[in-house]
Amino acid sequence: MFKFFWVLMLLPMMALAQNKPKKIKQIHSNRIQKIPGKYDGNLLLSGKVILEHDGAILRADSVVYYELENYFKAFSNVELDMQENHLASDALEYNGNTKIAKATGDVVLRDSEQTLYTDKLEYNRNTQKAYFNTGGTIVSNNETITSQEGVYDLVTKSIKFDKDVRIVNKDYYIESKNIRHYADGDYMEFFDDTYIQNRKNPNQFIRTTKGKYFLNKKEAFLENRSSVHMDGTVLTADDIYFNQTSGYGKGTGDVLIDNPKEKQFIRGGFGEYFQQQDSGYVTQKAYAVRAFEKDSLYLHADTLMSTKRNEKNLIRAYHKAKFFKSNLQGKADSISFAEDKGVMRFFRKPVVWSGYRQITGDTISVYINTVAERLDSMKVRQNAFAISKTDSITETQFHQMKSREMLGLFVDEQLDWVQGEGNAQTLLYMEEEKKDSTNSNLPPVKELIGINRSDCGIVEADFEEREINVLACRINAESKVYPPSKLPEDQRKLPDFVWRVDERPQVWRDIFVVDEKGLSEELNTEK
């Protein structure tokens, strides 16, 4: 019991002895002086001075040694060797109790990976971290890094840089406000505004506020709405993976693939871009926008692809495609838009609306004058059908024109003239205005006086407001006007008549609306 008591008494004393700072030891100096009135009575060591403290060796031309404080100040040709790390400077203050060294004047800190150059440095041997705030440069085999402030962790071989960070490598150039650099993993983390440029291709660069960049692999993992710029094309997303070597980029969360020079972009929830092929695609509520002089074209589908070949741009929309332009709207299963040629093509149950007119067929092509950026013409192949509702309040009266193929011309951005070829048919409602004889102040009303049915090889017509006016009906032409009472309701529609105005987008955001009719047709097709 007595021995146990003494052991308990000795334990705190042993702990204090273990935590007691080690004393700085004098190893060598050519001269030792105590100069009256100087250095508070402490020793001045000079001439090849060597001191040792806890495994660190100091060499300098002269040292003021504060033995009681366990502290020294070294001057001229100062070197502090700490196993794998080496510190050199013009002057150095070192506290043996805290193991903190403060170096000034041409400071150089080396380890096995890189070298730090600065004017002023504080180095903590306990944490093995070095701090500088007067500007520093770090040089390694791969790059040179400069920053106004930094923290260098010699254990993890990482450096945290703040303020005006610049990194130069043979392959890239980086500017940032806040970077952590890991030499062992050869990667960087960004925590503020950062710019990364490919030095071999200055038109390829990255802007981010948060992410990682692996230097050897040239791979970037970016967050916080970053952007990758590739020869004029910009990939922006909430999260991005990008490989600078292959030029492959993948984005998730509000993905935008933008080409400002071409005045077009595609957008969606997920997307990929292939720089070498100059192509990309987006899905998940995907849509594309092409700006024209007076308005813009909006295009939506399940998947949108954008490709560029020999300065020729092509946008393709796959499945449930819709588009909106102020003077033209439409939908189809798939749509392609060759921007250089100004050609839009619609495939599988396409429908196009221009003004009061609806156009359908097996395939539809719309041509745009690329110089004037105006609608030019339209071609409909197989089962072409043009419909316009009459000005009557009756919901069942429609002007109709049908043929195997159809050619249309636009004037002032509106479909103005149409020619139908091959088994052409028209059915037109003939109306005249009549005034109320009992009240001359009332506006005139239109009264149906007849229905004209024509069949011929080729028909020409022009459009004016809701009217379809037949200009010519050639080749085996047959025409007949029926009094309204003599033409039954079931014969007032040409074969394959379908009025699809409920599917028409009225504003550009309507391209995202799933209409019930279209959904019903899709379900029936799947069955």
Side-chain angles (χ1 to χ4, degrees), residues 89-134:
S89 62
D90 292 339
L92 182 91
E93 297 180 22
Y94 182 81
N95 190 320
N97 299 327
T98 62
K99 297 177 70 173
I100 293 177
K102 296 180 179 180
T104 57
D106 292 330
V107 181
V108 180
L109 177 61
R110 289 188 174 90
D111 66 12
S112 59
E113 301 289 341
Q114 47 209 352
T115 303
L116 167 63
Y117 300 89
T118 186
D119 290 330
K120 187 177 180 180
L121 182 75
E122 180 178 305
Y123 177 54
N124 188 323
R125 290 187 62 206
N126 291 311
T127 61
Q128 293 199 48
K129 290 182 179 181
Y131 307 82
F132 64 91
N133 59 10
T134 58

Side-chain angles (χ1 to χ4, degrees), residues 407-466:
L407 170 66
L409 300 180
F410 291 89
V411 175
D412 294 330
E413 300 279 79
Q414 296 296 327
L415 190 60
D416 181 78
W417 175 90
V418 172
Q419 174 179 283
E421 183 176 344
N423 300 323
Q425 297 175 297
T426 64
L427 192 149
L428 307 177
Y429 285 78
M430 304 168 64
E431 298 173 316
E432 67 177 15
E433 292 184 347
K434 286 190 175 183
K435 285 190 175 184
D436 191 330
S437 59
T438 61
N439 189 346
S440 60
N441 294 323
L442 292 176
V445 295
K446 288 191 174 182
E447 183 178 297
L448 181 63
I449 60 173
I451 302 174
N452 186 302
R453 168 70 186 265
S454 298
D455 295 81
C456 52
I458 298 175
V459 63
E460 293 182 33
D462 64 7
F463 294 149
E464 183 178 353
E465 293 294 329
R466 297 178 182 271

Side-chain angles (χ1 to χ4, degrees), residues 195-238:
Y195 172 83
I196 307 171
Q197 184 185 56
N198 186 334
R199 295 188 69 186
K200 296 179 180 178
N201 182 2
N203 291 322
Q204 184 184 94
F205 57 91
I206 294 170
R207 293 192 184 277
T208 184
T209 57
K210 186 178 180 182
K212 290 183 180 180
Y213 183 77
F214 290 83
L215 304 171
N216 284 337
K217 297 179 180 179
K218 298 182 179 61
E219 290 182 319
F221 296 84
L222 311 173
E223 304 175 45
N224 285 6
R225 202 76 194 144
S226 304
S227 62
V228 178
H229 300 247
M230 298 160 283
D231 297 319
T233 299
V234 185
L235 170 63
T236 305
D238 294 344

Side-chain angles (χ1 to χ4, degrees), residues 66-340:
Y66 300 80
E67 186 174 7
L68 294 178
E69 289 86 353
N70 201 28
Y71 175 83
F72 68 75
K73 293 181 179 180
F75 306 94
S76 182
N77 297 316
V78 179
E79 294 184 5
L80 185 62
D81 285 315
M82 302 160 286
Q83 296 178 347
E84 295 182 357
N85 307 317
H86 179 83
L87 177 62
S89 62
D90 292 339
L92 182 91
E93 297 180 22
Y94 182 81
N95 190 320
N97 299 327
T98 62
K99 297 177 70 173
I100 293 177
K102 296 180 179 180
T104 57
D106 292 330
V107 181
V108 180
L109 177 61
R110 289 188 174 90
D111 66 12
S112 59
E113 301 289 341
Q114 47 209 352
T115 303
L116 167 63
Y117 300 89
T118 186
D119 290 330
K120 187 177 180 180
L121 182 75
E122 180 178 305
Y123 177 54
N124 188 323
R125 290 187 62 206
N126 291 311
T127 61
Q128 293 199 48
K129 290 182 179 181
Y131 307 82
F132 64 91
N133 59 10
T134 58
T137 300
I138 292 180
V139 179
S140 67
N141 292 331
N142 297 323
E143 62 261 332
T144 300
I145 308 173
T146 61
S147 177
Q148 187 63 27
E149 299 179 10
V151 180
Y152 185 5
D153 190 325
L154 285 88
V155 176
T156 62
K157 306 297 182 184
S158 67
I159 312 167
K160 185 178 183 300
F161 297 100
D162 294 302
K163 291 186 180 180
D164 304 325
V165 187
R166 289 179 175 82
I167 303 174
V168 180
N169 177 288
K170 64 181 179 65
D171 296 322
Y172 52 79
Y173 171 77
I174 300 176
E175 286 185 0
S176 180
K177 292 182 179 179
N178 192 325
I179 288 181
R180 188 180 294 272
H181 177 273
Y182 298 87
D184 283 349
D186 200 33
Y187 72 95
M188 297 181 183
E189 280 190 283
F190 314 110
F191 303 94
D192 208 325
D193 292 339
T194 301
Y195 172 83
I196 307 171
Q197 184 185 56
N198 186 334
R199 295 188 69 186
K200 296 179 180 178
N201 182 2
N203 291 322
Q204 184 184 94
F205 57 91
I206 294 170
R207 293 192 184 277
T208 184
T209 57
K210 186 178 180 182
K212 290 183 180 180
Y213 183 77
F214 290 83
L215 304 171
N216 284 337
K217 297 179 180 179
K218 298 182 179 61
E219 290 182 319
F221 296 84
L222 311 173
E223 304 175 45
N224 285 6
R225 202 76 194 144
S226 304
S227 62
V228 178
H229 300 247
M230 298 160 283
D231 297 319
T233 299
V234 185
L235 170 63
T236 305
D238 294 344
D239 298 286
I240 294 177
Y241 165 79
F242 181 65
N243 187 307
Q244 280 191 312
T245 301
S246 65
Y248 167 75
K250 177 176 69 175
T252 57
D254 192 12
V255 179
L256 175 67
I257 302 178
D258 188 14
N259 193 325
K261 183 179 178 181
E262 304 296 337
K263 299 188 293 185
Q264 63 99 348
F265 66 80
I266 57 176
R267 196 166 197 164
F270 174 85
E272 293 182 290
Y273 185 77
F274 307 87
Q275 185 181 17
Q276 294 182 3
Q277 290 79 33
D278 202 357
S279 65
Y281 78 91
V282 296
T283 61
Q284 301 175 15
K285 205 174 181 180
Y287 71 100
V289 178
R290 169 62 163 88
F292 291 94
E293 183 179 358
K294 294 183 178 181
D295 65 356
S296 296
L297 171 68
Y298 299 86
L299 178 61
H300 163 65
D302 288 348
T303 301
L304 287 173
M305 295 189 67
S306 176
T307 58
K308 189 173 182 180
R309 296 285 188 277
N310 301 320
E311 302 302 320
K312 297 179 180 180
N313 299 310
L314 177 65
I315 296 178
R316 287 172 287 185
Y318 295 102
H319 310 306
K320 305 173 188 175
K322 287 185 179 182
F323 79 95
F324 178 89
K325 197 172 180 293
S326 62
N327 47 26
L328 196 72
Q329 303 84 42
K331 60 181 292 187
D333 180 70
S334 59
I335 299 174
S336 70
F337 180 28
E339 294 188 63
D340 59 301

